């Protein structure tokens, strides 16, 4: 089956769904084909995936120091447990 | 037995919930402790302020305690906690209505013009030791703060806290289609904000980012 080309613009609109696997196989095939031939779009894809790796490592937000102790005290006080 | 992030099975969690409901209130902290960070981050995603986020996290957990018997187990317990927290955070924001929060209040309009990526610099390598760097953390915080509230909430729940699209929709009370649209915008904006060479504020010493501009 021939792969119908799609525009960069169309790729950007779907790039997030592409990363999440939320697109149908036909569109996925077309996008994969596009990334092979388009440096702009593959840079956008790589960069977006890098952002997700950076923020997904669990170290972006830490609890403020003493958070758990203050929470436990509050619960003890208010729940009378 | 499948265990989730909390390190316990669903059965164990349900048993804990039942025991707390039956009066063993001292077990409540044990029940929620695997999720306290998520609850805090959810509050922070709306409020963008540590002290407010902590206060709201505490209030939300107290509210969760008093409504625990009403938890219907159709969603994950963690999603339910986050949902309560987001609601509390939004209520606080509405109550405060300080100038500080005003820019976050465009929440309900869903006018999504298409977002066009601004920078096409190549950005393939992320050395993992760079994750430790304060600089990077600060760059992330700045990038997050630059997002509109409705984009930031979706991005934080989905991409930082790793909720599914359905769970994110549920926690925020919006449709899955809205989650996807907002996520696209948020991710592209985050990329533009963080792409080295774009904001220029951030380098990795000897490990300079490879910068390639195709035109
Ligand atoms: Zn392209």
């Amino acid at each position: 089956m021939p792969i119908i080309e799609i525009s960069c613009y169309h790729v950007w609109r779907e790039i997030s769904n592409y990363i999440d696997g939320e697109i149908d196989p036909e569109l996925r095939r077309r996008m994969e084909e596009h990334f092979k031939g388009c440096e702009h779009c593959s840079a956008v894809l790589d960069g977006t995936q890098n952002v997700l790796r950076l923020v997904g490592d669990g170290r972006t937000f830490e609890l403020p120091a003493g958070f758990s102790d203050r929470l436990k005290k509050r619960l003890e006080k208010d729940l009378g447990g | 037995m499948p265990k989730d992030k909390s390190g316990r099975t669903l059965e164990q969690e349900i048993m804990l919930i039942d025991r707390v409901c039956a009066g063993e209130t001292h077990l409540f902290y044990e029940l929620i402790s695997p999720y306290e960070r998520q609850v805090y981050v959810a509050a922070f995603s709306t409020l963008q302020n540590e002290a407010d986020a902590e206060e709201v996290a505490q209030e939300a957990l107290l509210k969760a305690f008093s409504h625990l018997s009403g938890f219907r187990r159709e969603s994950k317990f963690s999603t339910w906690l986050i949902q309560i927290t987001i609601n509390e955070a939004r209520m606080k924001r509405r109550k405060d209505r300080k100038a500080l929060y005003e820019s976050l209040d465009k929440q309900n309009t869903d006018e999504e013009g298409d977002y066009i990526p601004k920078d096409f610099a190549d950005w393939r390598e992320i050395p993992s030791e760079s994750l430790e760097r304060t600089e990077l953390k600060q760059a992330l915080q700045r990038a997050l703060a630059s997002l509109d509230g409705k984009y930031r909430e979706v991005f934080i729940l989905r991409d930082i806290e790793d909720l599914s699209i359905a769970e994110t929709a549920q926690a925020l009370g919006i449709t899955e289609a809205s989650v996807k649209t907002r996520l696209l915008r948020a991710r592209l904006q985050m990329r533009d904000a963080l792409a080295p060479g774009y904001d220029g504020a951030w380098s990795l010493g000897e490990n300079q980012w490879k910068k390639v501009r195709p035109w």
Side-chain angles (χ1 to χ4, degrees):
Chain A
M1 212 207 308
I3 295 172
I4 304 152
E5 282 187 29
I6 52 174
S7 65
C8 295
Y9 187 75
H10 192 166
V11 168
W12 302 335
R13 278 204 341 231
E14 295 295 339
I15 208 158
S16 175
N17 289 332
Y18 176 90
I19 290 170
D20 282 335
E22 294 277 327
I23 51 171
D24 63 59
E26 172 57 25
L27 181 55
R28 169 164 294 274
R29 245 162 32 96
R30 286 204 235 162
M31 288 178 74
E32 273 160 7
E33 209 49 44
H34 185 99
F35 289 129
K36 274 186 221 155
C38 179
E39 280 182 87
H40 301 184
C41 288
S42 55
V44 174
L45 177 66
D46 290 340
T48 309
Q49 280 172 327
N50 281 347
V51 167
L52 299 185
R53 267 170 49 211
L54 275 178
V55 302
D57 85 326
R59 280 178 285 181
T60 309
F61 291 108
E62 279 152 22
L63 285 173
F67 179 95
S68 302
D69 289 336
R70 290 190 294 274
L71 174 61
K72 270 186 256 183
K73 280 206 189 92
R74 179 83 192 272
L75 293 177
E76 269 164 36
K77 181 169 131 292
D78 285 33
L79 309 185
Chain B
M1 280 293 122
K3 293 185 181 180
D4 69 3
K5 261 184 272 177
S6 68
R8 59 189 173 219
T9 65
L10 189 59
E11 286 73 14
Q12 285 167 331
E13 187 159 278
I14 287 172
M15 201 171 72
L16 263 176
I17 293 172
D18 287 340
R19 288 178 66 186
V20 174
C21 286
E24 291 185 77
T25 55
H26 62 283
L27 293 176
F28 185 65
Y29 181 73
E30 186 184 332
L31 171 65
I32 57 93
S33 66
Y35 311 121
E36 62 180 340
R37 208 188 58 84
Q38 273 196 319
V39 164
Y40 168 76
V41 172
F44 190 87
S45 77
T46 300
L47 298 167
Q48 285 289 293
N49 168 303
E50 282 193 12
D52 288 348
E54 175 162 352
E55 187 195 321
V56 161
Q58 290 185 359
E59 294 299 331
L61 288 167
L62 287 169
K63 189 163 263 187
F65 174 81
S66 57
H67 290 84
L68 191 59
S69 58
F71 169 57
R72 284 184 318 214
R73 293 154 207 210
E74 285 156 6
S75 62
K76 280 202 216 163
F77 183 58
S78 55
T79 309
W80 184 72
L81 289 177
I82 291 171
Q83 200 174 7
I84 293 174
T85 308
I86 296 273
N87 285 338
E88 282 295 302
R90 287 176 173 171
M91 261 157 52
K92 167 148 182 74
R93 198 181 54 203
R94 235 170 280 142
K95 226 187 300 171
D96 288 1
R97 281 224 174 264
K98 291 175 190 157
L100 184 62
Y101 295 131
E102 231 125 67
S103 63
L104 306 178
D105 267 334
K106 294 175 270 167
Q107 297 284 323
N108 294 323
T109 50
D110 229 345
E111 34 48 69
E112 321 286 346
D114 283 322
Y115 183 81
I116 309 294
K118 289 193 177 65
D119 190 281
F120 295 94
D122 196 337
W123 190 33
R124 274 153 225 240
E125 295 159 57
I126 295 186
S128 63
E129 65 271 24
S130 71
L131 299 182
E132 306 288 359
R133 298 177 64 106
T134 339
E135 246 181 297
L136 176 49
K137 197 168 271 185
Q138 285 166 351
L140 275 174
Q141 301 287 5
R142 269 202 309 275
L144 282 168
S146 76
L147 298 182
D148 257 17
K150 64 178 180 179
Y151 300 120
R152 183 172 50 241
E153 285 177 345
V154 166
F155 184 83
I156 287 180
L157 293 185
R158 170 78 182 120
D159 288 336
I160 299 188
E161 293 308 307
D162 207 24
L163 270 63
S164 69
I165 289 170
E167 287 161 359
T168 306
Q170 196 177 9
L172 295 172
I174 58 178
T175 64
E176 292 188 23
S178 282
V179 171
K180 289 181 192 174
T181 318
R182 292 179 191 190
L183 204 51
L184 170 65
R185 166 74 67 105
R187 285 170 170 177
L188 290 179
Q189 263 185 267
M190 285 298 284
R191 178 192 167 277
D192 276 341
L194 292 168
Y198 180 66
D199 95 342
W202 169 34
S203 79
L204 289 170
E206 72 264 29
N207 281 323
Q208 282 294 339
W209 300 106
K210 190 173 59 159
K211 286 177 197 161
V212 178
R213 283 177 218 289
W215 64 75

